[in-house]
């Protein structure tokens, strides 16, 4: 009964709009007529509830365009939005097709879904290239690796992501771009694009130990200091520790980063490195001495004590990367860089709720 009534209402609305376009009702003789009716055609329109039938009027001498049902549209917009949301949430195109069949009794081929996603991708490009309207004292950067077809082979390439903490205290994804192999040129191009969009006021950049990133920050953001991710640094040191000393080394490293000042942390690190050498862990001691300076930047007096715990790791962006990888694993290998960049950007917007 509901389906019948919805169909009757739709057809009545289409008839009234046809009267408005032609300038006369059906079978009415009028000198002010603008066009003539030329029959109608049947169209199925998929709504939230199920498929409904509609009669689209045809006019001779004018193009019939209705606000009720867009020209050539066969699905209600909310249905298409629901399918796109499923795709961005991690459902493969094949599963979207199956779910569409189960819910609405109509299949949605992958090509149709791809055509609909092009509209979303246009919005994503606008979001990626939007001007940055405020200062971002703290910025976190990292690369998300994925598989991509390249010259007939499948290789690992990256997409670079940056999260900024604005003066209002809120975090925001401020940059997403192709990074290829995360070399110096890729990072330089990425940071340059952020600056051209209005990135200012950066006091600290937190990231993993990537030579290209460190070089780009020193060249393009000379007023910002670099903070090496504490978690990644500890993993690098512990990778050089034998299993017999792993627990001791882990506790010793935690003690270093529990210090209240940078001077105390550096002194503690030297004590731990000396003890490592005594335990014949020379490689671990060398790694600790080389990296402890850039890993304790957050302890400088320039940074408020209440900010330090969040600044010393890249966990903020790592959590986002896990959500991205959860989606890219469904795809496997991307056919090109554009498709990878768009899907990852769409996933970031979906997860973070950015407009």
């Amino acid at each position: 009964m509901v389906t019948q009534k919805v169909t009757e209402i739709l057809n009545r609305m289409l008839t009234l709009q046809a009267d408005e376009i032609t300038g006369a009702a059906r079978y009415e003789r009028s000198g002010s007529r603008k066009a003539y009716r030329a029959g109608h055609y049947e169209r199925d329109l998929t709504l939230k509830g199920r498929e409904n039938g509609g009669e689209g009027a045809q006019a001779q001498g004018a193009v019939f365009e209705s606000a009720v049902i867009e020209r050539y549209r066969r699905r209600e917009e909310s249905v298409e939005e629901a399918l796109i949301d499923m795709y961005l949430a991690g459902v493969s195109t094949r599963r979207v097709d199956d779910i569409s069949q189960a819910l609405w009794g109509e299949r949605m081929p992958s090509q149709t879904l791809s055509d609909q996603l092009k509209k979303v991708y246009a919005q994503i490009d606008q979001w990626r290239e939007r001007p940055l309207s405020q200062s971002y004292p703290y910025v976190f950067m990292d690369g998300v690796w994925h598989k991509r077809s390249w010259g007939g082979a499948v290789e690992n390439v990256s997409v670079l992501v940056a999260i900024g903490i604005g003066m209002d205290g809120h975090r925001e994804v401020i940059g997403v771009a192709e990074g290829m192999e995360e070399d110096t040129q890729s990072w330089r191009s990425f940071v340059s694009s952020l600056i051209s969009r209005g990135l200012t006021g950066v006091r600290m950049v937190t990231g993993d130990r990537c030579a290209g990133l460190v070089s780009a920050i020193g060249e393009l953001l000379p007023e910002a200091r670099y903070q090496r991710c504490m978690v990644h640094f500890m993993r690098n040191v512990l990778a050089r520790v034998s299993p017999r000393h792993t627990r001791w080394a882990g506790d010793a490293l935690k003690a270093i980063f529990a210090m209240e000042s940078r001077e105390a942390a550096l002194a503690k690190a030297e004590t731990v490195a000396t003890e490592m050498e005594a335990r014949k862990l020379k490689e671990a001691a060398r790694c600790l001495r080389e990296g402890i300076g850039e890993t304790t930047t957050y302890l400088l007096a320039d940074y408020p004590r209440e900010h330090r715990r969040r600044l010393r790791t890249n966990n903020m962006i790592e959590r986002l990367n896990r959500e991205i990888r959860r989606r890219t694993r469904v795809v496997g290998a991307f056919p090109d860089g554009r498709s990878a960049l768009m899907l990852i950007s769409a996933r970031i917007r979906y997860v973070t709720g950015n407009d």
Side-chain angles (χ1 to χ4, degrees), residues 73-90:
R73 179 175 289 279
R74 294 188 177 276
R75 296 178 189 82
E76 189 184 8
E77 189 171 353
S78 61
V79 173
E80 295 180 349
E81 289 176 351
L83 295 174
I84 291 174
D85 282 345
M86 282 189 287
Y87 175 74
L88 298 180

Side-chain angles (χ1 to χ4, degrees), residues 331-346:
V331 178
F334 289 91
D336 53 61
R338 173 69 176 174
S339 60
L341 178 61
M342 288 296 99
L343 181 57
I344 290 175
S345 300

Side-chain angles (χ1 to χ4, degrees), residues 32-48:
S32 59
R33 179 185 295 275
K34 304 174 185 176
Y36 293 88
R37 293 175 181 269
H40 67 272
Y41 59 92
E42 300 291 337
R43 179 189 294 186
D44 292 329
L45 177 67
T46 301
L47 306 179
K48 288 181 181 179

Side-chain angles (χ1 to χ4, degrees), residues 4 44 74 88 172 208 220 232 267 293 354:
Q4 181 182 355
D44 292 329
R74 294 188 177 276
L88 298 180
E172 175 187 355
D208 194 6
L220 301 174
H232 286 85
N354 289 132

Side-chain angles (χ1 to χ4, degrees), residues 69-110:
I69 305 175
E70 292 182 22
R71 196 171 177 82
Y72 308 120
R73 179 175 289 279
R74 294 188 177 276
R75 296 178 189 82
E76 189 184 8
E77 189 171 353
S78 61
V79 173
E80 295 180 349
E81 289 176 351
L83 295 174
I84 291 174
D85 282 345
M86 282 189 287
Y87 175 74
L88 298 180
V91 181
S92 66
T93 53
R94 182 176 299 178
R95 290 293 297 151
V96 168
D97 188 15
D98 295 339
I99 293 172
S100 176
Q101 173 69 22
L103 292 179
W104 296 289
E106 181 186 33
R107 308 196 72 87
M108 186 173 191
S110 58

